[in-house]
């Protein structure tokens, strides 16, 4: 009997994992996907995603990869990007956001490849969420703005409203409450006819909260009343309790304690019925505070005691700080100084504990972001002297193991050949004693041949290892290029505001020290051509820093004047690179234009159509009625050495009364060596070329610039010149 039981145990231990790997519901959905019409792909993949979320991590990964393979065999490729997003979702659920982002970028590339604009927007939206989770607010905001643009262009109103809501949430997080209100209101407006009732109520509630933070109490009340009306129609007691509490808070801040009490008592009753203990504890604290301020000390004490009991039974210790603070203040008013001191001590202890908790979460987020950036290989994988750090990211681990394996093989072969050589030497010694001089010479020749063969094998193996290393490095560089390219504004995004433009962008190496930056809002577009110190990897490092700082200065801080943007960027570069304390002198030359395409009926408000320009060393060229005009930038860079007390850049204005063609550029084109005598192209020749081609279509101009550059470099076939710097030219017709 004992052995029979053992057999049963072993049988079920073996058979259980096999059954655990089968999921009839998922298998059926995947089978349906294989034979379905393209219009059903999205629905089926969404159902598959929900089913995968219920599985253990390993099983979910297995099914997600299976779905990708099925999607790749379908007659229409539209399912492939979403299949990759489903795989990303599995990694998000397992808190492996670095890998999740990697698959989302793959999904984005595939969606773009198959020209699926809706899926492109969904991928960008997911990437924005992941960046937000990592605490990278600037990138999250940039990607969410791009997602909103595409959704709006495609007229997907629900998704557009959601993106505007996410943008508002990001602004709310960083304390930009006015911008938060702006985007909450956009979300409400654009989703008015398409959002479900619960989402509308949420948007109204969040707008009211942001208005309360701005102390716009009347506006806050209007939005909160709208939210309450919808919540009452839905009979959503949890939401009704929350909004009643917020209405009470607004009236409390207005000094209307009687109405505040009425709303908060109502919120307490409804939230208790809904078992929303978080809101219950908040209301008890507020009611205790209001009654204490009105001199109702016994009632106040009663509410605080209930708050302590609720917090204790529900483990809501985040609310405990306010309870102890309120009890301390109440006992001070009652002149119970000993109890006031005790509660004050409890308050300080809880506050310190919560601060430590917040700091720990913040540090964990910073650490996660740091680990995330290491895994993503954002150019940091490219170290000086073409070496690769062994602990930076997963790709570089593969490189190291490959090189190590190759070197190990070389050493083993060398050792084997050494032993073989030693044996041959012993044999040769015996033969030398037995044979004559002729045999001795033959053996010497044989030995030399063996040595040459050994060296040939070693050289071949070493060359193979170097070749493998170079391939891996090139792969890493190409991946870095993909990351760097993802920060550049898309042609679609620019075309929405600058309908007639081109970008001629030709890095010297795989990654670039030149980059361009663009942001548009209403009738105003901000465009910059930026040339960072150096090119290749060093320049790319600075370009990533410069892009993030531009996002922060323009999008988050709201600077819109070109001279002010350059002033702020200079300070930020010097602070980021610690140029006051170190010998670092890196920086950038740039030209920045703010293009105001003001509609005629709004010129009284926003001024005439115009271009405002500021430059750091770099000029701009504009052409009107076939006449070329140059405006030079200030003779100082962004960042680097600063001897003056404060670096101030100058703003120039061009009134757009005539058709105008504008050019921004780095110095790469005009400094390129070539021609029959191997000289620089020069600014004079460059400006003449722009004048010659400025009336042609923009894409034709771009092609002419590219062919002119190549012809210049290769003018002397016997001495073709290499590209010496990153090259960038941007043209805009306004």
């Amino acid at each position: 009997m004992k052995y029979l039981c053992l057999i049963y145990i072993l049988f079920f231990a073996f058979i259980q994992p096999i059954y655990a790997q089968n999921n009839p519901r998922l298998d059926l959905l995947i089978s349906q996907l294989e034979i379905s019409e393209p219009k059903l792909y999205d629905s089926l993949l969404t159902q598959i995603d929900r089913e995968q979320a219920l599985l253990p991590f390993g099983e979910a990964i297995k099914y997600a990869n299976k779905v990708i393979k099925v999607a790749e065999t379908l007659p229409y490729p539209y399912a492939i990007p979403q299949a990759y997003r489903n795989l990303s979702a599995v990694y998000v659920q397992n808190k492996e956001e670095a890998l999740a982002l990697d698959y989302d970028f793959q999904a984005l590339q595939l969606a773009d490849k198959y020209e699926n604009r809706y899926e492109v927007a969904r991928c960008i939206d997911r990437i924005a969420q992941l960046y937000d989770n990592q605490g990278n607010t600037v990138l999250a905001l940039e990607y969410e703005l791009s997602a909103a643009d595409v959704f709006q262009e495609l007229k997907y109103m629900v998704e557009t409203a959601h993106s505007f809501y996410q943008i508002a949430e990001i602004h709310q997080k960083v304390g930009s409450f006015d911008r938060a209100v702006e985007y909450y209101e956009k979300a409400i407006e654009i989703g008015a006819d398409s959002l479900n009732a619960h989402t509308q109520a949420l948007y109204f509630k969040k707008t009211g909260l942001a208005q309360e933070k701005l102390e716009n109490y009347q506006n806050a009340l209007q939005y909160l009343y709208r939210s309450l009306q919808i919540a009452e129609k839905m009979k959503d007691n949890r939401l009704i309790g929350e909004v009643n509490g917020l209405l009470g808070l607004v009236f409390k801040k207005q000094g209307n304690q009687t109405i505040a009490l009425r709303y908060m008592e109502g919120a307490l009753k409804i939230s208790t019925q809904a078992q929303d203990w978080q809101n219950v504890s908040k209301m008890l604290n507020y009611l205790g505070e209001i009654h204490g301020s009105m001199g109702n000390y016994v009632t106040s004490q009663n509410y605080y005691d209930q708050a302590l009991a609720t917090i204790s039974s529900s483990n809501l210790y985040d609310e405990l700080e306010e309870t102890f603070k309120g009890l301390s203040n109440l006992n001070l008013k009652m002149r119970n100084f000993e109890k006031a001191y005790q509660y004050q001590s409890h308050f300080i202890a809880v506050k310190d504990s919560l601060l430590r908790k917040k700091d720990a979460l913040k540090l964990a987020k910073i650490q996660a972001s740091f680990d995330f950036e290491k895994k993503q290989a954002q150019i940091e994988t490219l170290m000086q002297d073409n070496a690769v750090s062994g602990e930076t990211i997963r790709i570089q681990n593969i490189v190291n193991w490959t090189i190590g394996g190759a070197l190990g093989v070389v050493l083993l072969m060398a050792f084997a050949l050494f032993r073989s050589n030693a044996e041959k030497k012993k044999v040769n010694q015996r033969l030398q004693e037995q044979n004559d001089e002729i045999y001795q010479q033959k053996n010497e020749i044989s030995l030399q041949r063996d040595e040459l063969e050994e060296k040939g094998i070693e050289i071949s193996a070493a060359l193979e290892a170097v070749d493998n290393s170079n391939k891996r490095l090139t792969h890493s560089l190409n991946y870095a290029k993909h990351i760097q390219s993802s920060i550049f504004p898309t042609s679609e995004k620019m075309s929405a505001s600058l309908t007639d433009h081109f970008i001629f962008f030709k890095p010297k190496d795989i990654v670039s020290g030149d980059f361009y930056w663009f942001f548009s809002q209403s009738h105003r577009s901000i465009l910059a051509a930026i040339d960072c110190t150096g090119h290749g990897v060093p320049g790319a490092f600075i370009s990533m820093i410069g892009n993030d700082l531009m996002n922060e200065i323009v999008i988050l801080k709201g600077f819109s004047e070109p001279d002010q943007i350059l002033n702020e960027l200079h300070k930020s570069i010097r602070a980021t690179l610690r140029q006051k304390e170190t010998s670092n002198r890196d920086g950038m030359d740039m030209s920045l234009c703010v293009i105001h395409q003001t509609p005629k009926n709004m010129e009284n408000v926003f001024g005439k159509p115009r271009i405002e320009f500021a430059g750091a060393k770099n000029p701009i060229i504009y052409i009107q009625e076939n006449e070329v005009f140059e405006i030079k930038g200030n003779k100082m860079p962004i960042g680097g050495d600063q001897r003056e007390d404060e670096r101030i850049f100058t703003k120039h204005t061009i009134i757009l009364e005539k058709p105008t063609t504008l050019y921004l550029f780095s110095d790469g084109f005009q400094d390129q060596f070539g021609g029959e005598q191997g000289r620089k192209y020069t600014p004079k020749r460059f400006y003449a070329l722009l004048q010659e081609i400025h009336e042609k279509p923009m894409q034709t101009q771009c092609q002419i610039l590219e062919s002119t550059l190549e012809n210049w470099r290769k003018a002397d076939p016997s001495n073709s010149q290499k590209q010496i710097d990153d090259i960038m030219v941007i043209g805009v017709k306004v």
Side-chain angles (χ1 to χ4, degrees):
M1 187 69 183
K2 180 170 67 175
Y3 293 111
L4 188 60
C5 290
L6 180 62
I7 290 168
Y8 271 113
I9 291 166
L10 290 172
F11 173 77
F12 283 110
F14 174 77
I15 205 73
Q16 191 273 337
I18 295 174
Y19 282 109
Q21 290 174 0
N22 294 324
N23 187 303
R25 170 70 176 157
L26 260 175
D27 291 334
L28 176 62
L29 288 169
I30 293 170
S31 299
Q32 290 175 344
L33 179 65
E34 290 179 295
I35 59 173
S36 68
E37 298 176 10
K39 64 182 180 181
L40 298 176
Y41 288 169
D42 185 77
S43 173
L44 285 168
L45 284 165
T46 301
Q47 293 178 64
I48 288 168
D49 186 42
R50 289 174 186 154
E51 291 293 326
Q52 284 175 181
L54 304 174
L55 295 176
F57 177 63
E59 286 295 293
I61 289 292
K62 184 195 79 171
Y63 272 106
N65 282 307
K66 182 178 179 180
V67 171
I68 288 173
K69 288 179 182 176
V70 170
E72 288 171 343
T73 64
L74 296 175
Y76 298 95
Y78 312 125
I80 300 174
Q82 191 173 349
Y84 273 93
R85 277 200 306 107
N86 283 6
L87 177 57
S88 164
V90 176
Y91 283 107
V92 170
Q93 192 173 358
N94 202 48
K95 302 192 184 305
E96 296 188 37
E97 293 183 342
L99 286 170
L101 191 69
D102 190 18
Y103 286 113
D104 277 325
F105 270 120
Q106 289 185 53
L108 177 59
Q109 286 182 313
L110 290 164
D112 188 50
K113 176 182 176 182
Y114 299 130
E115 298 181 353
N116 186 341
R117 299 277 294 150
Y118 176 61
E119 188 61 31
V120 164
R122 292 168 80 183
C123 292
I124 295 171
D125 179 58
R126 172 74 70 79
I127 289 166
Q129 291 173 36
L130 288 173
Y131 277 130
D132 193 29
N133 292 345
Q134 290 293 331
N136 194 333
T137 310
V138 172
L139 276 180
L141 185 58
E142 184 178 351
Y143 275 90
E144 201 63 69
L145 283 164
S146 297
D149 285 346
V150 181
F151 281 135
Q152 194 166 17
E153 175 194 327
L154 298 174
K155 302 192 185 319
Y156 281 91
M157 297 299 103
V158 173
E159 289 83 351
T160 305
H162 168 76
S163 283
F164 283 145
Y165 173 76
Q166 291 299 121
I167 293 164
E169 289 284 276
I170 293 168
H171 282 298
Q172 182 94 339
K173 265 186 199 175
V174 299
S176 299
F177 300 118
D178 52 343
R179 300 300 297 278
V181 166
E182 177 188 342
Y183 280 99
Y184 282 135
E185 288 177 340
K186 281 185 178 181
I188 291 168
E189 181 184 355
I190 207 158
D193 300 325
S194 50
L195 293 173
N196 62 44
H198 187 274
T199 304
Q200 285 185 339
L202 172 66
Y203 288 5
F204 282 122
K205 184 188 84 170
K206 286 301 189 86
T207 313
L209 270 171
Q211 293 281 15
E212 182 267 321
K213 294 289 184 185
L214 291 168
E215 299 182 359
N216 298 331
Y217 296 129
Q218 285 305 118
N219 290 342
L221 289 171
Q222 288 175 12
Y223 281 108
L224 290 171
Y225 280 133
R226 294 285 299 279
S227 180
L228 183 60
Q229 287 171 354
I230 298 169
E232 287 174 340
K233 282 183 183 178
M234 294 190 300
K235 298 180 180 178
D236 185 340
N237 281 347
R238 197 177 188 91
L239 186 56
I240 292 169
E242 284 181 23
V243 178
N244 269 292
L246 291 170
L247 284 164
L249 177 63
V250 175
F251 281 114
K252 173 180 173 287
K253 291 195 172 182
Q254 282 185 313
N256 197 332
Q257 308 287 41
T258 305
I259 298 178
L261 280 173
R262 190 172 76 236
Y263 275 105
M264 287 181 178
E265 285 166 355
L268 176 61
K269 182 179 178 181
I270 295 166
S271 294
T272 303
Q273 291 171 356
Q275 297 185 351
D276 182 0
W277 305 120
Q278 182 90 33
N279 203 48
V280 166
S281 59
K282 282 183 179 178
M283 293 305 105
L284 289 168
N285 279 331
Y286 282 139
L287 287 165
E289 181 186 349
I290 293 172
H291 278 290
S293 68
M294 296 170 71
N296 304 328
Y297 298 145
V298 176
T299 306
S300 174
Q301 180 73 52
N302 184 41
Y303 277 121
Y304 280 129
D305 288 343
Q306 289 182 60
L308 283 173
T310 304
I311 289 166
S312 178
S313 62
S314 306
N315 296 322
L316 297 169
Y317 296 111
D318 285 356
E319 297 299 324
L320 200 55
E321 181 182 353
E322 289 302 317
T323 310
F324 283 138
K325 181 182 176 183
L327 281 166
S328 177
N329 290 335
L330 176 63
N331 279 278
L332 273 174
K333 289 174 183 175
M334 296 167 64
R335 305 188 69 79
N336 295 332
F337 298 119
E338 187 175 346
K339 280 190 174 183
Y341 175 75
Q342 289 174 357
Y343 284 122
Q344 182 68 13
S345 300
H346 292 329
F347 163 68
I348 292 169
V350 171
K351 185 177 181 181
D352 288 346
S353 174
L354 291 174
L355 281 173
R356 284 195 296 272
K357 183 179 175 183
K358 286 178 183 176
D359 287 344
L361 287 170
K362 192 181 291 184
L363 286 170
K365 209 166 195 181
I366 291 168
Q367 181 64 44
S369 181
F370 175 70
D371 293 339
F372 168 78
E373 287 169 4
K374 283 172 69 180
K375 284 186 178 180
Q376 283 302 302
Q378 290 191 345
I379 303 175
E380 296 170 14
T381 57
L382 315 172
M383 300 283 293
Q384 200 171 11
D385 299 326
N386 291 327
V388 183
S389 170
E391 298 175 0
T392 312
I393 57 167
R394 174 174 54 84
I395 294 172
Q396 296 309 100
N397 284 334
I398 296 170
V399 174
N400 289 340
W401 283 111
T402 304
I403 295 171
L407 290 174
V409 170
V410 172
L411 290 171
L412 285 172
M413 291 176 68
F415 179 69
L417 287 168
F418 174 79
R419 288 190 63 181
S420 175
N421 242 1
E423 291 298 322
K424 286 182 180 180
K425 284 182 180 179
K426 289 178 183 178
V427 173
N428 287 339
Q429 285 174 0
R430 296 191 200 102
L431 289 173
Q432 283 174 3
E433 293 172 0
Q434 297 171 5
N435 297 325
D436 56 19
E437 186 178 349
I438 296 172
Y439 285 103
Q440 289 177 4
Q441 290 174 352
K442 285 183 179 180
N443 286 328
E444 288 175 6
I445 292 168
S446 176
L447 180 61
Q448 290 173 2
R449 185 180 66 247
D450 289 344
E451 289 175 351
L452 287 171
E453 287 176 358
E454 180 186 344
K455 287 179 180 177
I457 292 169
E458 289 177 356
I459 291 167
S460 176
L463 286 172
E464 185 178 353
V466 170
D467 184 54
N468 287 335
S469 176
N470 285 336
K471 285 178 182 176
R472 298 292 181 182
L473 285 170
T474 302
H475 174 77
S476 293
L477 282 162
N478 284 325
Y479 189 76
K481 177 185 178 182
H482 151 69
I483 293 170
Q484 189 186 32
S485 298
S486 72
I487 72 170
F488 293 162
T490 63
S491 180
E492 291 85 356
K493 183 178 179 181
M494 291 181 65
S495 295
S497 304
L498 305 175
T499 54
D500 206 4
H501 76 277
F502 74 80
I503 299 169
F504 176 46
F505 184 67
K506 189 176 178 64
K508 176 183 181 293
D509 303 308
I510 295 175
V511 289
S512 172
D514 284 6
F515 74 101
Y516 50 96
W517 190 92
F518 176 78
F519 179 73
S520 179
Q521 192 174 43
S522 185
H523 59 272
R524 181 180 63 209
S525 301
I526 301 175
L527 177 64
I530 305 169
D531 182 356
C532 300
T533 302
H535 46 74
V537 177
F541 270 114
I542 305 298
S543 78
M544 298 292 282
I545 294 169
N547 182 77
D548 281 354
L549 291 175
M550 284 291 293
N551 289 334
E552 180 183 331
I553 291 163
V554 176
I555 300 174
L556 286 182
K557 293 183 178 178
F559 284 93
S560 60
E561 297 292 325
D563 53 327
Q564 293 177 7
I565 294 171
L566 265 59
N567 295 341
E568 286 298 309
L569 183 59
H570 173 70
K571 293 173 189 173
S572 298
I573 283 288
R574 283 183 56 79
T576 302
L577 300 179
R578 296 189 297 118
Q579 292 184 332
K580 278 187 178 180
E581 301 90 42
T582 67
S583 59
N584 181 284
R585 292 296 176 265
D586 292 321
M588 52 193 71
D589 303 337
M590 65 186 288
S591 48
L592 185 145
C593 290
V594 181
I595 304 170
H596 296 267
Q597 295 174 295
T598 313
K600 282 193 175 181
N601 60 348
M602 301 187 76
E603 287 184 11
N604 291 337
V605 180
F606 297 109
K608 291 184 177 181
R610 64 196 181 278
I611 297 171
E612 295 171 341
F613 161 72
K617 297 188 79 174
N618 283 0
I620 59 165
I621 293 296
Y622 69 97
I623 302 175
Q624 292 178 337
E625 296 182 341
N626 204 36
E627 187 174 356
V628 179
F629 300 92
E630 177 189 30
I631 303 179
K632 293 184 177 179
N634 293 93
K635 295 181 179 179
M636 49 198 180
I638 300 293
D641 192 26
Q642 178 179 324
R643 297 180 182 178
E644 66 273 30
D645 292 336
E646 185 178 8
R647 184 159 296 179
I648 303 294
F649 291 90
T650 307
K651 180 173 81 171
H652 306 268
T653 303
I654 307 162
I655 301 299
L656 297 175
E657 294 175 335
K658 307 169 185 176
T660 303
T661 307
L662 170 70
Y663 296 98
L664 296 79
F665 43 86
S666 63
D667 58 5
F669 198 112
Q670 52 202 327
D671 286 349
Q672 178 60 49
F673 288 99
E676 293 180 358
Q677 297 179 339
R679 294 182 177 177
K680 286 186 177 183
Y681 195 80
T682 70
K684 182 179 178 181
R685 190 180 279 111
F686 180 53
Y687 295 174
L689 174 62
L690 295 179
Q691 184 180 24
E692 181 184 336
I693 67 174
H694 80 279
E695 292 181 337
K696 297 182 184 295
M698 279 300 186
Q699 293 311 310
T700 303
Q701 291 189 42
C702 187
Q703 293 164 8
I704 292 171
L705 286 170
E706 185 169 11
S707 60
T708 301
L709 180 71
E710 287 305 297
N711 292 337
W712 178 256
R713 286 199 310 110
K714 299 174 181 178
D716 182 358
S718 64
N719 188 26
S720 180
Q721 299 288 334
K722 292 182 179 180
Q723 185 175 332
I724 64 165
D725 197 0
D726 300 320
I727 294 171
M728 173 174 55
V729 183
I730 303 172
V732 181
K733 285 186 179 180
V734 287

